[in-house]
Amino acid sequence: TDIVEKETYTFEDRGGDYISLRPEGTAPICRAYLQNGMHNLPQPIRLYYSGPFFRYDRPQAGRYRQLHQFGSELIGDSNSSSDAEIIQFAWTVFKSLGIKNIKLLLNSIGDSTCREKYIGELTNHLNQNIDSLSHKDCIQRLKTNPLRILDCKESSCKNITRTAPTSIEFLCSECLSHWNQTKTLLNDLSIDYVIDTTLVRGLDYYSRTVFEIVPNTRGQQNTLLAGGRYDGLIEQLGGNPTPAIGFALGIERTIEIMQIQK
């Protein structure tokens, strides 16, 4: 992923050990869940965190190399009601802060089974238009993680992905049912959303529901909050298969949008 390949602060300390400053909070929460035996407690488990994180990225408005995030995770339930619960919580946070003119972007990228067929079709489409991929990172992503090309902001790449197949078209019956039920619950909660089929997450452990909350203001770093379902991550860390969903909210960006809207 971009975070691992380009954005982590990794260095050798005085003792000769290689250190990476934490770039995100979901994986640490999942390790804490396992190491503290929370899988033995009644499920689901609801957790939150707040603290500093570090990304070696080009500093600009709304983007810092040391940033702070608040996050919430719901671990141990696969039902779409958990998707709606965590999204409602995220939406309520912004509403309680008096933040206006925001929108919820929503997509489903399926699970590892149906996503494999989709990635194959997406790769074929991108290969047919490879001469128009202007961003050098996207040329590399075509080999390693074609989904990330959907997130590219370069106009030439956006022109290609605009006509690309969507992940929703390739959802298996279980993922499609989960997707439709999540949308129904959000409608019942009167939470408006915009389906964005180019929405993917920057880390590879996400599955099914992914979402972002963004301001309707142009000319600034857009994403205030991002999240999604990561049903396979705890298993990758050595635990039993455990469904989970969560989000992270950028505190600096939230403060900035509050100042703008004063």
Side-chain angles (χ1 to χ4, degrees):
T1 67
D2 286 355
I3 290 176
V4 173
E5 291 176 352
K6 299 189 302 180
E7 297 178 13
T8 52
Y9 266 103
T10 301
F11 55 89
E12 183 179 358
D13 69 6
R14 293 182 179 182
D17 294 323
Y18 279 94
I19 304 288
S20 287
L21 303 181
R22 63 179 185 175
E24 57 90 34
T26 300
I29 285 288
C30 290
R31 286 194 292 272
Y33 171 86
L34 290 171
Q35 292 170 3
N36 292 279
M38 285 186 272
H39 55 285
N40 295 317
L41 299 174
Q43 305 293 301
I45 299 291
R46 294 169 175 84
L47 303 170
Y48 75 92
Y49 63 86
S50 180
F53 296 87
F54 304 85
R55 301 276 183 91
Y56 188 86
D57 203 355
R58 182 167 62 91
Q60 53 187 291
R63 177 177 288 171
Y64 305 94
R65 288 181 169 177
Q66 178 176 338
L67 58 135
H68 295 79
Q69 291 183 344
F70 166 80
S72 178
E73 315 290 346
L74 191 156
I75 303 174
D77 184 57
S78 62
N79 292 321
S80 52
S81 58
S82 290
D83 300 46
E85 177 183 332
I86 207 77
I87 291 172
Q88 182 189 34
F89 178 35
W91 191 254
T92 302
V93 168
F94 286 113
K95 291 300 182 181
S96 68
L97 293 173
I99 297 174
K100 304 179 290 293
N101 298 322
I102 55 174
K103 59 183 177 181
L104 169 65
L105 305 180
L106 193 68
N107 192 25
S108 175
I109 57 175
D111 60 19
S112 57
T113 301
C114 55
R115 190 163 60 246
E116 183 177 353
K117 183 177 180 182
Y118 169 58
I119 289 175
E121 293 296 324
L122 176 63
T123 301
N124 289 337
H125 174 81
L126 296 171
N127 276 321
Q128 292 171 7
N129 297 275
I130 192 169
D131 292 338
S132 299
L133 289 176
S134 61
H135 199 294
K136 63 178 182 179
D137 288 342
C138 287
I139 301 296
Q140 181 62 30
R141 288 169 182 157
L142 187 55
K143 302 175 184 177
T144 58
N145 191 354
L147 283 177
R148 292 292 293 140
I149 299 177
L150 296 173
D151 199 35
C152 182
K153 302 302 186 290
E154 294 287 335
S155 58
S156 58
C157 294
K158 289 177 69 174
N159 289 335
I160 298 170
T161 57
R162 192 175 291 118
T163 58
T166 68
S167 55
I168 294 174
E169 300 172 56
F170 293 85
L171 296 179
C172 64
S173 58
E174 289 186 8
C175 289
L176 182 60
S177 176
H178 186 100
W179 168 241
N180 288 333
Q181 183 63 20
T182 299
K183 292 187 294 179
T184 297
L185 290 170
L186 292 175
N187 290 334
D188 292 343
L189 292 168
S190 300
I191 298 177
D192 294 330
Y193 56 85
V194 176
I195 296 175
D196 182 353
T197 57
T198 67
L199 179 61
V200 294
R201 300 274 11 102
L203 290 156
D204 289 341
Y205 50 63
Y206 284 100
S207 61
R208 292 191 174 178
T209 305
V210 291
F211 61 94
E212 291 184 356
I213 294 179
V214 300
N216 283 326
T217 307
R218 296 182 178 181
Q220 65 185 92
Q221 285 297 316
N222 264 343
T223 305
L224 298 171
L225 176 149
R229 181 165 284 281
Y230 49 94
D231 291 346
L233 178 57
I234 289 177
E235 185 178 6
Q236 291 178 33
L237 295 175
N240 293 323
T242 306
I245 185 170
F247 68 78
L249 177 155
I251 292 177
E252 285 86 358
R253 291 186 186 180
T254 301
I255 292 172
E256 288 182 5
I257 197 70
M258 292 174 70
Q259 291 173 335
I260 291 172
Q261 294 186 359
K262 273 186 179 180

